Amino acid sequence: MSIMKKSGLAALLLLLMSCTKVPPAAPNRIMAGYLEGDLGALSIGDPRWDGAVETPIPLKQQLIALPKSEQDGVAQIGVRAFYNGEWAAFLLTWSDPTPDHLTKMGSFSDAAAMEFPMEPGDLPDSAMGGAPGSAKPVLIHQWKAVWQEAEAGNIQGIKTFYPNTWSDVYLFEMPGTPEARAKMERTFTTSVAAENPLAHHGKAVRDLEAVGFGSVNPSEEQLSKGNGEWADGKWRVLIVRPVARLRGGLDTTRLLHAAFAVWDGAKGEVGARKMQSAWTPLEFLKPAAHASNPKGGNSRGQH
């Protein structure tokens, strides 16, 4: 083949590669590109995600703490990331043929979470920081489909979960103004009235802290936000968090680590029954490096 024909074939391959929407992959670390602007307003459908590096991260059953997973769930999650001086945004993608938006008897909401160590030094166990007594604190940002439905106002009493429920006298449906019914529902929905953090109210993404198995509690700083979209057998969930926090801030000048978990509600996954990852390196590309290579590339030693 002549040199001219080879050059033409190479140009054609580059053209085809530039036309595809499949993102470049970084197999062994998350590579967060620097992006100016208000990342707090970034959406799942923003076309800039198409050029972000996606890192495939394997997930395994949680088999350390009880109750353990009884079957395999989601085997892999894809992670893309952007950051700037104020925000860090993470787009999580995984396959799930059945979206589970609500929690009912015997079935649970789909959910995902990402975790960061809260202290410098040696990494804690990725399973909630480790066993009680020797665990280190971790910060968790968790999204749940049912929380998103509640934030959007799509949960309207028991009939949202069980449409065929019937009662001759049901306090939530007594005549009255919408405000009065909402107040009554809050009063008689005891978990909401008691401000149980697991109740169906609040935000789609919540900030949690843990120091070992069974120690998850809401963080005093509820600063992250996000949402999820399901289409064509896949969830795409955006979690955006501030770079700076009083507890669990991100030092974007260093190589950090993050871990991930996914719950498939249709498979009975809830609480400790989940698929989880090991710690994955998280590299924040310097603005100058990102400017010369907007897609992040697969180079190393950029920090």
Side-chain angles (χ1 to χ4, degrees), residues 32 34-35 39-40 82-90 116 139 141 221 223-224 240-253 256 282 284:
Y34 188 87
L35 193 63
L39 294 190
F82 286 124
Y83 85 104
N84 58 29
E86 186 176 4
W87 295 97
F90 300 87
F116 296 94
L139 174 66
H141 308 294
E221 298 175 87
L223 304 174
S224 62
V240 184
R241 54 150 293 170
V243 170
R245 288 177 52 96
L246 295 177
R247 292 169 54 83
L250 300 176
D251 181 355
T252 58
T253 65
L256 303 181
L282 169 58
F284 297 92

Side-chain angles (χ1 to χ4, degrees), residues 58-136:
L59 304 176
K60 295 183 178 180
Q61 289 177 261
Q62 190 289 117
L63 296 174
I64 300 176
L66 296 174
K68 301 176 182 178
S69 300
E70 298 177 351
Q71 59 180 323
D72 283 333
V74 176
Q76 179 175 290
I77 187 172
V79 179
R80 309 180 208 185
F82 286 124
Y83 85 104
N84 58 29
E86 186 176 4
W87 295 97
F90 300 87
L91 184 63
L92 316 181
T93 307
W94 70 92
S95 297
D96 184 346
T98 57
D100 303 297
H101 296 277
L102 300 176
T103 299
K104 298 188 292 185
M105 291 290 291
S107 65
F108 304 94
S109 167
D110 290 335
M114 56 186 312
E115 175 188 71
F116 296 94
M118 294 183 68
E119 295 179 348
D122 295 339
L123 288 173
D125 193 316
S126 61
M128 312 305 289
S134 60
K136 293 183 176 181

Side-chain angles (χ1 to χ4, degrees), residues 227-267:
N227 66 298
E229 294 179 1
W230 185 92
D232 301 326
K234 285 189 175 181
W235 272 113
R236 303 178 78 202
V237 171
L238 174 65
I239 296 178
V240 184
R241 54 150 293 170
V243 170
R245 288 177 52 96
L246 295 177
R247 292 169 54 83
L250 300 176
D251 181 355
T252 58
T253 65
R254 300 176 54 239
L255 182 68
L256 303 181
H257 291 80
F260 300 85
V262 171
W263 291 259
D264 185 347
K267 293 188 175 180

